Amino acid sequence: MSEISERELGEIYDFAVQLGKDAGNLLMNFAKARWGDKGSGEQLFSEKDNAVDIVTKADEDVEAFVKSSIQKKYSTHKFIGEETYSKGASRDYLIGDEPTWCVDPLDGTVNYTHLFPMFCVSIAFIVHGKATVGVIYAPFLNQLFTACKGRGAWLNETQQLPLIRNPIPPMPARAPGGCIFSCEWGKDRRDKPDGNMHRKVESFINMAAEAGGRDGKGGMVHGIRSLGSATLDFAYVAMGAFDIWWEGGCWEWDVSAGIAILQEAGGLITTANPPQDHQTAEITNVRLGSRLYLAIRPAGPSDTETGRQTQERVVREVWKRVRELDYSRSGA
Amino acid sequence: MSEISERELGEIYDFAVQLGKDAGNLLMNFAKARWGDKGSGEQLFSEKDNAVDIVTKADEDVEAFVKSSIQKKYSTHKFIGEETYSKGASRDYLIGDEPTWCVDPLDGTVNYTHLFPMFCVSIAFIVHGKATVGVIYAPFLNQLFTACKGRGAWLNETQQLPLIRNPIPPMPARAPGGCIFSCEWGKDRRDKPDGNMHRKVESFINMAAEAGGRDGKGGMVHGIRSLGSATLDFAYVAMGAFDIWWEGGCWEWDVSAGIAILQEAGGLITTANPPQDHQTAEITNVRLGSRLYLAIRPAGPSDTETGRQTQERVVREVWKRVRELDYSRSGA
């Protein structure tokens, strides 16, 4: 397999950014058609279609548009889209060594159904299993997040991420105190005593409670946020707005673009589930597809630590407070 | 006291909208100065200022700007601002009968500190104790929410709220199933067995859990969202994006503009704390300043109910699942 040159990568990046804008605008046309705006969206569906039909159609049409655009331009590249794969049975690791596009045409589907603005399109280009280009566009927020390995991560193509960068602050000394903790309740709501929902909630309470509370596990985070979009959670960690994001159950299309952007911005992404020796275990970059993610925002050095050391300190503080989640590659 | 004519009210509305834009842009200048943008913000503070100094200065400067603008134009009106009042000792009901401006120069302070875009300025004009004009501007999101009694509620001055309005859908038949439930963890994180944090979390879990779970209290809501801004929570309920918002502990400046906008859009706002006879009690509009709020989005009729009936049905479904919160007028 031939390597991709820097010039080719630049072309791919430009193409992905334009594709993200076009796909996001298409999503927005479907949304506007629902609220009855006069405009191009109006003839997108019939009077009989209900909200679920419309969202399904938006999802499928945007994926078809993105897929055909990519296949026209890069016919030899592999394509993985949420709509294509979620209908299939195989749930093995999806990303191999070959140049691959991984696309979620609509992340934050529940938000989109309700027209809450936290929805987006997510497009990643992956080389040798590494997310190399990432584009996230939230059209209702007018927020475009982009990155290409070696070229920085950007908000709306003009503002480099993280936003505060002269200098980039270290993680707080008393973290998770002082941090914004981002998490999602998710779809697994089974009321089983030790099920994922109760494990998550127990972890949320530990992060939230006053320092000293919860038998010493109280994290007294500065705030807890739940947006309903794993992809935008990543984007706001890259921005530096969220300090910590912890989640289980995501698929490759939920996270690939976010990983590309957050890593390029200087963030750390490892596993959500605490290893047994969580205070000493090596902290490795997560494998794309593991379904379990803990992300820490970009951080600069403190007086006594490197930026990476401040991030790793926070990883261990989170691992101390969270429960192991049960999401495997097959099912769930 | 002389009554305010429709013409005067129109002038006050126009003035409030422009004031909201100007104040929001001022907030954004302070934010940009932190991320080192070249621009008017740069000379706003010295190199020595830290994040907390800057946020405090933004908060105080924006309130001073809004207050002086109002006093110049409407010298006989009363002014209540968060910065002014939170420093005082009195925590009685703040809103009387006289024409009153109630302002939060910066709602979502924690978000602003971290540069998460969910922050806003909130300006309300209140007549005879009723929120009559409301302006909420979130400059980082480019989202402006405005309303004046009798003139509709609007997003960015062009799109009437709620967004889906031809027709406005009823609340779901299986509500809280199908609903987005918006809530905040808040600042009271004391790890007391029956304290506010644990009462809140128990309520959140009831709303989230599968139908049939939690001894029949499982609400299986479609999603749970926490933005960290009571004011923007209101705005998204008015938009129709959030179906239910439930919260305790807010002050008048957190909610006045939101109440004006949500009521004009057709929402219902009552008390968060379930009355003893919660399945039969009369559902009354909340008193501004009660500190306990339950908001339901605008709703149209179903085949068998009026819009208001669908909303009241949801109020009772929420009351069935939530705990009483302990926020009085004095302290907390």
Side-chain angles (χ1 to χ4, degrees), chain B residues 35-53:
Chain B
W35 75 52
D37 238 30
K38 304 282 173 262
S40 60
E42 252 195 327
Q43 287 82 39
L44 287 172
F45 25 73
S46 75
E47 297 255 323
K48 280 184 304 182
D49 290 335
N50 63 30
V52 173
D53 294 335

Side-chain angles (χ1 to χ4, degrees), chain A residues 27 30 53-63 105-106 112:
Chain A
L27 270 185
F30 276 101
D53 295 335
I54 294 170
V55 171
T56 305
K57 189 163 160 48
D59 216 347
E60 290 175 351
D61 277 21
V62 173
E63 178 157 326
L106 171 55
Y112 189 73

Side-chain angles (χ1 to χ4, degrees), chain B residues 57-328:
Chain B
K57 189 162 162 48
D59 215 347
E60 290 176 351
D61 276 22
V62 173
E63 177 157 326
F65 164 73
V66 172
K67 184 176 185 176
S68 73
S69 302
I70 290 171
Q71 289 181 335
K72 213 176 291 169
K73 180 115 178 155
Y74 299 107
S75 59
T76 63
H77 293 176
K78 188 175 162 190
F79 179 89
I80 294 172
E82 193 215 359
E83 284 303 300
T84 321
Y85 268 75
S86 59
K87 288 176 181 163
S90 168
R91 290 276 164 143
D92 296 331
Y93 277 87
L94 300 175
I95 311 281
D97 210 40
E98 65 276 37
T100 301
W101 294 80
C102 188
V103 171
D104 191 351
L106 170 57
D107 190 85
T109 310
V110 169
N111 291 339
Y112 189 73
T113 308
H114 293 254
L115 294 178
F116 177 55
M118 286 284 168
F119 59 82
C120 62
V121 59
S122 169
I123 297 174
F125 179 65
I126 300 164
V127 188
H128 296 308
K130 304 272 180 221
T132 303
V133 167
V135 176
I136 295 171
Y137 181 40
F140 201 167
L141 299 168
N142 295 306
Q143 292 189 333
L144 172 71
F145 303 87
T146 55
C148 178
K149 198 168 166 47
R151 299 172 195 219
W154 301 86
L155 170 64
N156 292 341
E157 302 176 90
T158 51
Q159 191 60 50
Q160 196 166 1
L161 304 178
L163 289 180
I164 300 179
R165 50 184 307 104
N166 297 309
I168 299 174
M171 299 303 294
R174 65 184 196 289
C179 292
I180 291 194
F181 174 61
S182 159
C183 58
E184 303 292 348
W185 289 73
K187 289 175 194 158
D188 183 353
R189 310 280 186 74
R190 287 171 294 178
D191 187 26
K192 293 196 312 187
D194 202 38
N196 277 322
M197 184 181 72
H198 287 287
R199 291 184 191 195
K200 275 189 166 185
V201 172
E202 188 183 329
S203 306
F204 299 170
I205 300 172
N206 286 343
M207 294 295 282
E210 60 185 327
R214 307 284 291 173
D215 291 328
K217 288 194 173 175
M220 194 61 196
V221 294
H222 207 185
I224 296 195
R225 302 290 176 265
S226 299
L227 304 182
S229 162
T231 304
L232 287 169
D233 288 332
F234 261 107
Y236 291 120
V237 177
M239 189 190 264
F242 291 165
D243 300 280
I244 302 165
W245 179 70
W246 177 78
E247 176 64 316
C250 311
W251 296 107
E252 280 82 339
W253 44 83
D254 298 319
V255 300
S256 291
I259 288 174
I261 294 167
L262 179 53
Q263 284 184 334
E264 183 62 20
L268 183 160
I269 309 155
T270 188
T271 181
N273 277 0
Q276 257 190 331
D277 53 339
H278 58 77
Q279 291 313 296
T280 52
E282 193 192 353
I283 293 170
T284 53
N285 288 339
V286 80
R287 175 169 176 192
L288 179 56
S290 83
R291 306 202 62 201
L292 295 156
Y293 297 95
L294 169 59
I296 310 290
R297 71 154 165 84
S302 70
D303 290 343
T304 55
E305 300 163 298
T306 65
R308 173 83 187 191
Q309 283 170 335
T310 76
Q311 292 171 321
E312 294 200 352
R313 171 166 50 74
V314 179
V315 167
R316 296 190 201 284
E317 292 294 332
V318 176
W319 280 346
K320 204 193 289 183
R321 291 170 171 88
V322 296
R323 293 285 307 275
E324 187 175 304
L325 298 176
D326 180 23
Y327 292 101
S328 64

